[in-house]
Amino acid sequence: MSEPRSAGTAFVLVTVLLDTLGLGLLIPVAPRLVASFLHDDLGAASHYFGILVSLYAVMQFVFAPVIGGLSDRFGRRPVILMSLAGAAVSYLLSGLAPALWWLFVGRIVAGITGASFSAAGAYVADVTPAEKRVQAFGLVGAVFGLGFVLGPALGGVLGQAGLRVPYFVAAGLNFLNMMYGLFVLPESLAPANRRPFSFARANPMGSLSALGRHPVVLGLTGTMMCSYLAQWILQSVWALHTQARFGWNLRDVGLSLMVVGIMMALVQGLLVRAVVPRLGERRTLVVGVIAGVLGQAALGLANEGWLMVPAILVLSFGGLAGPAVQAIISREVGATEQGEVQGALSSLNGIAAIVGPLIGTNLLAYFNSAGAPHVPGAAFFAAAVFNGLGLLLVLRLFARDRALGGAQARAAP
C-alpha cells in the first residue's frame, strides 16, 4: 500500500475511533440528561430516550444511501470531511440545549452526518485487497471497540463535572478530526471508478433493492438485520438497566462499557487475525453469531452486578462476526458499488436502530413497572432471540449455497 493510502487508512481509523469516542462519551450521560428535563422520571426517560435514539436512526436510514451515493460520485474525502463538520455542530446543539426539543434537533443533525460510516467503510474497501479485507475490517472494529473503551469511561468522569460537558468534548473532537483530515486524507476512489449520482439508487428503498443484485449479500441481510437489532437493544437499555437493577452510577456504567470495548478491540483487532485463516470467513461468522446468542442471554440472567463481567466476556466473541460478514460482502460487489452497498447496509442498520431501541426501552419500562411480571432482563432475552434467528438464517444460507455449488460441480462437463 502506498504512503498516501496508508495515511488515508490511518485517518479513517482515527475517524472511526473519534466518532465512537464521541458516541461513547454520551452513553453514561444521555439518559440522565433526558431525565433531567422530565423530573428524573425513569419511565418517562426510558420512553423519550427510546424515541431520541430512534430519531437518530430514521435520519441514518434516509441519508446513509445518499451519503454512499455521493461518495461514489464525488469521492470519499469530501463526504467524510463534511460529515465530521456536521457531527461537531450536532453535539454543540445538544450541549447547549435549554429544552428537551433541542436534543431532538441535535439528534436529527447527528443522524444525517453519522451516515459517514458508509463512506468510511467504502474507503477501507477501496484501498484494501480482497484477500486482506477481513483483517482490515477487523482493525476498524478494533478501533470502534477502543472508542467504547475510552468513551464511556471518559464520559462517566466528565459527567461528574456536568451532564453537558461530554457533549462539548465530543463536538471538539469531531472538529479537530475534520481539521486533521483536511491535511492528511487523500482520495481513495479513482475517477475511473466513479459513477453518476442517482436519486433512484440513493433513496432508502432503491438502495436496499441494490442488495438483491448480489445473492449472497441479499442472503446475509437477514442475519445482519437480526444482529443490528440485538446491538441496538443492548445499547439503548444498558445505562438504564444497570442503574435500575444494580444501582450503578455514572462511573460504574462507564467502567462496564470500558470492559466491553477492551474485549471487542482484542477480539476484532487480534483474535480475528488468528481465527479466520483457520476457520475461514463463513465459519468465523457462525461462531460469532453463536457467541452473540449466549452472551445476550447471560446478560439477561445476571442478577448481580459482577455477573455482567463473564457475560460480557462471552458476548465479546460475537465481535468475530462483523469483520467476517463485511469481508464476504465487499468481495461480492464491484469497485463502483462499494459506497452504494455500504450505504444500503447503513440503512439496514438504520431500520434496526429505529425498531431496536423502541423494543428494548419499552420492554425495560414494562417489566419494571408495577403490576407487570418481574423479568428485568427481558430486553437482553429479546436480543438473544434476534441473534438466534440470525444464526438460523445464516446456517440456511450457507447450506443452500453449498448445495448449489455441489449441483453446479456435478453439472459441469
Side-chain angles (χ1 to χ4, degrees), residues 311-386:
I312 288 170
L313 296 180
V314 175
L315 181 65
S316 66
F317 287 95
L320 292 170
V325 74
Q326 282 277 16
I328 294 170
I329 288 174
S330 66
R331 185 183 292 110
E332 292 290 320
V333 303
T336 63
E337 299 176 89
Q338 293 292 341
E340 180 184 359
V341 170
Q342 292 293 333
L345 295 177
S346 293
S347 279
L348 196 68
N349 187 29
I351 297 172
I354 296 167
V355 178
L358 294 176
I359 294 173
T361 54
N362 279 285
L363 285 173
L364 177 66
Y366 175 74
F367 284 105
N368 282 277
S369 63
H374 186 62
V375 188
F380 295 111
F381 295 140
V385 169
F386 279 119

Side-chain angles (χ1 to χ4, degrees), residues 31-358:
R32 307 283 180 94
L33 183 59
V34 172
S36 71
F37 291 107
L38 301 166
H39 308 291
D40 293 320
D41 184 330
L42 177 63
S46 296
H47 175 69
Y48 280 102
F49 184 65
I51 296 174
L52 199 63
V53 174
S54 294
L55 182 61
Y56 175 90
V58 169
M59 295 300 103
Q60 284 220 320
F61 171 68
V62 173
F63 285 95
V66 176
I67 297 295
L70 289 173
S71 76
D72 281 340
R73 171 64 182 89
F74 298 105
R76 319 302 185 199
R77 173 186 161 88
V79 170
I80 291 173
L81 294 178
M82 289 181 65
S83 294
L84 287 170
V89 171
S90 73
Y91 288 126
L92 192 59
L93 281 172
S94 296
L96 295 171
L100 184 60
W101 69 268
W102 273 56
L103 298 182
F104 284 85
V105 174
R107 295 316 288 166
I108 289 173
V109 178
I112 294 171
T113 58
S116 63
F117 278 109
S118 59
Y123 194 106
V124 172
D126 288 342
V127 302
T128 309
E131 67 275 8
K132 294 183 178 179
R133 283 179 186 164
V134 67
Q135 289 89 348
F137 284 117
L139 197 56
V140 171
V143 298
F144 189 92
L146 184 59
F148 270 103
V149 171
L150 302 174
L154 185 57
V157 173
L158 293 173
Q160 301 288 347
L163 293 177
R164 299 167 187 268
V165 173
Y167 287 90
F168 296 127
V169 172
L173 289 173
N174 276 275
F175 177 75
L176 290 175
N177 195 31
M178 180 198 69
M179 296 303 296
Y180 172 55
L182 286 173
F183 294 100
V184 304
L185 181 64
E187 181 55 62
S188 66
L189 187 64
N193 290 332
R194 300 183 189 185
R195 62 178 181 174
F197 179 81
S198 167
F199 282 106
R201 293 193 303 263
N203 73 81
M205 301 314 298
S207 176
L208 290 173
S209 68
L211 298 175
R213 296 198 295 267
H214 310 280
V216 173
V217 175
L218 179 63
L220 287 172
T221 55
T223 295
M224 295 187 70
M225 184 65 174
C226 290
S227 176
Y228 289 150
L229 283 169
Q231 291 171 18
W232 278 104
I233 288 173
L234 181 148
Q235 291 179 35
S236 66
V237 303
W238 186 273
L240 294 168
H241 171 83
T242 53
Q243 175 191 354
R245 192 168 194 187
F246 308 125
W248 287 5
N249 57 29
L250 288 175
R251 178 178 174 273
D252 298 328
V253 172
L255 290 175
S256 68
L257 290 170
M258 182 179 73
V259 174
V260 174
I262 290 173
M263 291 306 302
M264 283 292 184
L266 291 174
V267 168
Q268 295 193 325
L270 297 177
L271 187 61
V272 72
R273 295 172 177 266
V275 171
V276 171
R278 290 171 173 79
L279 297 184
E281 293 167 356
R282 294 191 172 197
R283 289 191 182 93
T284 300
L285 171 57
V286 171
V287 169
V289 177
I290 291 173
V293 175
L294 298 177
Q296 294 279 13
L299 290 173
L301 291 170
N303 57 7
E304 294 185 23
W306 70 268
L307 289 173
M308 298 292 275
V309 176
I312 288 170
L313 296 180
V314 175
L315 181 65
S316 66
F317 287 95
L320 292 170
V325 74
Q326 282 277 16
I328 294 170
I329 288 174
S330 66
R331 185 183 292 110
E332 292 290 320
V333 303
T336 63
E337 299 176 89
Q338 293 292 341
E340 180 184 359
V341 170
Q342 292 293 333
L345 295 177
S346 293
S347 279
L348 196 68
N349 187 29
I351 297 172
I354 296 167
V355 178
L358 294 176

Side-chain angles (χ1 to χ4, degrees), residues 223 286 290 390-400 402:
T223 295
V286 171
I290 291 173
L391 176 63
L392 294 177
L393 291 173
V394 76
L395 290 174
R396 179 174 176 267
L397 170 66
F398 291 163
R400 187 172 58 204
R402 284 195 299 270

